[in-house]
Amino acid sequence: MEEKISINHKFDLASLAKQLTGLTILQLIYKGLLKSNDPIGKYFPELKPALQKVTVRQLANHTNGIHDFYTLTDKHDSLTNQKILTMLSQLDSTVFTPGTKWGYSNSGYVLLSLLIERVTKTSYQNYCSKNILSPLGMTSYCFAPTTDTVLTGYTSKMEPEKIRPFTSGASGLYASGTDIIAYYKAVSKD
């Protein structure tokens, strides 16, 4: 017998995790730990010049022109933030001149996650848990990879999607309906 979905089941938030990353970046700017117009080369000296000049703001608003990591490899289920940073460190060009266009980039949010770690000297997960999720009243969330029971979707062949280790910043967050309600109540109040 299949169990019905409830508000307490944990769902893969996928790209909705970007909101958490954005909120965390805004908090760090508010605390004076970074500036929105800082070039990311200040935090990522291993990147080549074309990427170093991208700003924190351009990462956050998808105007950075950085290649989306999905286009750089077909081995998506074995990616980590560090592997993505290594791939990006080999690039010396962007898809377009940063700041001139909009182009959705998961890479930008992986870099923001790594930036949070470099600025706070703690993991993305620890910082977000302590400074964002718990204060907002979110109590059942977990980050990928996880051993928690989480709901998954189905592939185009109607086979259950496999849970796999993934990245943080652009995705990698699971939360219950109760957590999502707590999050939206909090952020809608300023």
Side-chain angles (χ1 to χ4, degrees), residues 12 15 23 26 45-46 60 69 74-75 100 110 121 136 141 158 178:
D12 180 355
S15 286
L23 186 59
L26 287 173
E46 65 268 56
F69 64 79
D74 59 358
K75 298 178 183 181
T100 63
V110 167
K121 308 283 191 260
L136 291 178
Y141 64 87
M158 295 310 293
T178 304

Side-chain angles (χ1 to χ4, degrees), residues 96-108:
F96 54 83
T97 303
T100 63
K101 291 168 129 181
W102 185 89
Y104 195 81
S105 173
N106 288 291
S107 297

Side-chain angles (χ1 to χ4, degrees), residues 3 8-11 140 142 146-151 163 174:
E3 183 181 358
N8 296 316
H9 280 102
K10 295 178 190 175
F11 294 85
S140 64
C142 61
T146 183
T147 56
D148 288 12
T149 301
V150 297
L151 298 178
I163 298 172
Y174 301 91

Side-chain angles (χ1 to χ4, degrees), residues 18 21-22 25-26 29 36-37 54-66 96-106 108-109 112:
K18 289 178 177 72
T21 305
I25 291 295
L26 287 173
I29 290 169
S36 64
N37 290 322
V54 169
T55 66
V56 172
R57 177 189 311 266
Q58 290 166 340
L59 288 181
N61 67 20
H62 296 282
T63 58
N64 54 69
I66 296 174
F96 54 83
T97 303
T100 63
K101 291 168 129 181
W102 185 89
Y104 195 81
S105 173
N106 288 291
Y109 274 78
L112 287 172

Side-chain angles (χ1 to χ4, degrees), residues 3-111:
E3 183 181 358
K4 291 183 179 181
I5 294 175
S6 81
I7 196 164
N8 296 316
H9 280 102
K10 295 178 190 175
F11 294 85
D12 180 355
L13 299 186
S15 286
L16 292 177
K18 289 178 177 72
Q19 290 182 27
L20 170 68
T21 305
L23 186 59
T24 304
I25 291 295
L26 287 173
Q27 188 180 77
L28 295 176
I29 290 169
Y30 181 77
K31 289 179 176 183
L33 297 175
L34 57 88
K35 294 182 176 127
S36 64
N37 290 322
D38 281 346
I40 63 171
K42 177 178 179 179
Y43 306 98
F44 298 101
E46 65 268 56
L47 294 176
K48 293 192 176 169
L51 277 69
Q52 282 190 352
K53 65 183 176 183
V54 169
T55 66
V56 172
R57 177 189 311 266
Q58 290 166 340
L59 288 181
N61 67 20
H62 296 282
T63 58
N64 54 69
I66 296 174
H67 297 265
D68 193 294
F69 64 79
Y70 284 114
T71 66
L72 301 174
T73 182
D74 59 358
K75 298 178 183 181
H76 303 147
D77 60 348
S78 64
L79 289 174
T80 63
N81 285 11
Q82 193 56 51
K83 286 181 183 178
I84 292 168
L85 179 58
T86 298
M87 286 190 304
L88 296 176
S89 297
Q90 297 170 15
L91 300 175
D92 199 15
S93 67
T94 54
V95 177
F96 54 83
T97 303
T100 63
K101 291 168 129 181
W102 185 89
Y104 195 81
S105 173
N106 288 291
S107 297
Y109 274 78
V110 167
L111 287 171

